[in-house]
Amino acid sequence: MKKASGFEIIAARCWNLLNEGKPFTPIFVIGTYLLFHAGDWTEAGFWGPALSGLISILPLLAVYYWYDFPLLLRNYLWFPLLGYLVIWNEYHLALSFTALGLFYFFTVFFWGTFYYHLRIGTSWMNFTRFWKLVLKNSDSTSGNAAEQMPKFLLLLGLWETQYLLAAQESFLTASNVGTAAAFTAGVWLYSWILHRYLFDWKPKESEGYTADKPSDGKEISTKVIVIVIDGMRKDRYDAANTPFLDKLRLEGTEYTLMETVYPARTVVCFSSMFTGTYPREHGIKSNMVWKLGIKVESIFDSLRKVGKKGRLLGIAHLIDSMGDDVESVTAVMHNDLADRNIINRAKKIMAEQNPDLLVAQLIGTDQTGHSMGVLYDEYIVKIEEADRLIEEFVGWMEGRGMMDNTTLLICADHGQADGIGGHGHLDEGERFVPFFLYGPDIAKGKRVETRESLISVAPTLAYLLGAPYPSHSRGRVLAEAVERRKEVRA
């Protein structure tokens, strides 16, 4: 299986500018406005008024960049748009319909059909389903139509209004600027109130650092294998036919209320899982990573302190946070081959490098959710495929004597909501993830039903492998899952 090329790594970062809702909004608004006025570019009187209009809406662009309006909050975005129509009595129907057409072309055909066909091999007819998924999506990505539409319609409408006023007056008068400024201030206050009193679903964060007693350099497991089935929604996993994973879960220790972190984006979740702390501390706050690299120690750093080695096998954008600890794989392949190729690569890593910790990211389930939806049969099929591949990998390990004192940890980094498998703001289906451990030192048939957090992964791995906790670890060691045998390796 090919590694992710340098071009793919850069392309993945560029794609996140269009995929993440925050950067998409200004990019789409500016791009759409310039396309709409393409015939005016050569006119001497266009650029000055257009620039004046853009400057007048920059504060509103900043408000809409700063505040997400996911889940139920997106419904409140229509009121500022209505306020604009009442105050200025301007409709700009041609510009509005152009914007709507471009938005649905980008999301439904370019993203939902063309992009996914080239990248993972979905059908050229995927648009017949994808348009419905865009309307249902509730997370703050560019594919959340109910959030993006009122945002860009208001921004474009106000820009065009200010442009026309500037063109008529040769400049924007103090009255025009003042009205726009007062309106923007009202939208900011409205947004602040909504987020202050309605945005209340973030998980509670731990205050202190990991306080559990360390393992004093005594390893419990010789190896730990972590397999993260990216985007596996808990209730859909329960509905799938997964005999091998069920065996591991029932014969190991399961955490039934394992909660992901906020925001539940893949790079954010992996960063939190393997540092033991939150985005505010490790610095990775979305898949769009502006400054590369985590700010704190990871479990891979902890292992190096005791002469051990860990590897993270995953797709290119995990490099943005974990750097050289990532064995990258290309994500540009047919989705039916993705997890098969990742498991083959995992075997090669174990055969050639034999790390003490291997983390492998299976991506087929997540990609199917994003491209085809989580409530369709194709999503279940990918979970069942992951079950068979994990069984194959464990069997391969057993055949080489690598499972004698090895702990398996199976989990998802986040769930997925309805629509285009959105995840980030913890809609139904996103918050709680499958999570269980299995191995010779893991309690058999145990279910832990207290609420836990994925930040416990890093300190638990350190505990199992006899390494110090990462420097900023705040997670709790999942020690109740461990039943040490009499002999504990020093």
Side-chain angles (χ1 to χ4, degrees), residues 19-72:
N19 180 260
E20 293 285 322
K22 285 181 180 292
F24 172 81
T25 303
I27 290 171
F28 181 77
V29 166
I30 294 171
T32 297
Y33 194 83
L34 292 178
L35 283 174
F36 181 76
H37 281 285
D40 301 322
W41 291 5
T42 57
E43 298 293 328
F46 170 70
W47 289 104
L51 182 59
S52 296
L54 174 59
I55 292 172
S56 73
I57 70 163
L58 285 179
L60 184 57
L61 263 173
V63 170
Y64 277 168
Y65 183 89
W66 182 261
Y67 288 108
D68 290 307
F69 285 79
L71 283 58
L72 63 91

Side-chain angles (χ1 to χ4, degrees), residues 124-145:
W124 282 110
M125 299 300 291
N126 201 48
F127 64 89
T128 61
R129 179 187 298 180
F130 205 79
W131 71 271
K132 293 181 287 187
L133 305 180
V134 166
L135 292 176
K136 292 180 180 179
N137 184 32
S138 59
D139 270 307
S140 289
T141 68
S142 56
N144 183 345

Side-chain angles (χ1 to χ4, degrees), residues 231-258:
M232 182 168 66
R233 179 166 159 158
K234 195 171 188 295
D235 61 345
R236 299 299 278 160
Y237 162 62
D238 291 338
N241 180 27
T242 52
F244 185 71
L245 290 179
D246 291 345
K247 176 179 181 293
L248 298 182
R249 177 171 57 88
L250 294 173
E251 295 182 5
T253 296
E254 178 186 14
Y255 288 81
T256 62
L257 290 175
M258 181 60 69

Side-chain angles (χ1 to χ4, degrees), residues 1-5 8 328-333 341 345:
M1 182 182 186
K2 294 190 300 181
K3 290 185 177 182
S5 65
E8 182 181 342
S328 70
V329 298
T330 179
V332 183
M333 70 185 95
N341 288 340
R345 179 74 173 277

Side-chain angles (χ1 to χ4, degrees), residues 305-362:
K305 291 180 179 179
V306 292
K308 294 188 176 183
K309 180 179 181 180
R311 300 301 290 157
L312 196 169
L313 174 62
I315 57 176
H317 60 191
L318 293 180
I319 296 173
D320 293 354
S321 64
M322 295 294 179
D324 292 338
D325 289 313
V326 177
E327 294 261 351
S328 70
V329 298
T330 179
V332 183
M333 70 185 95
H334 197 288
N335 204 34
D336 289 341
L337 301 176
D339 287 350
R340 155 57 61 197
N341 288 340
I342 288 169
I343 288 296
N344 288 346
R345 179 74 173 277
K347 293 177 183 176
K348 185 176 181 181
I349 291 171
M350 293 307 300
E352 295 179 357
Q353 301 179 36
N354 195 24
D356 303 283
L357 168 67
L358 174 67
V359 181
Q361 174 199 24
L362 299 185

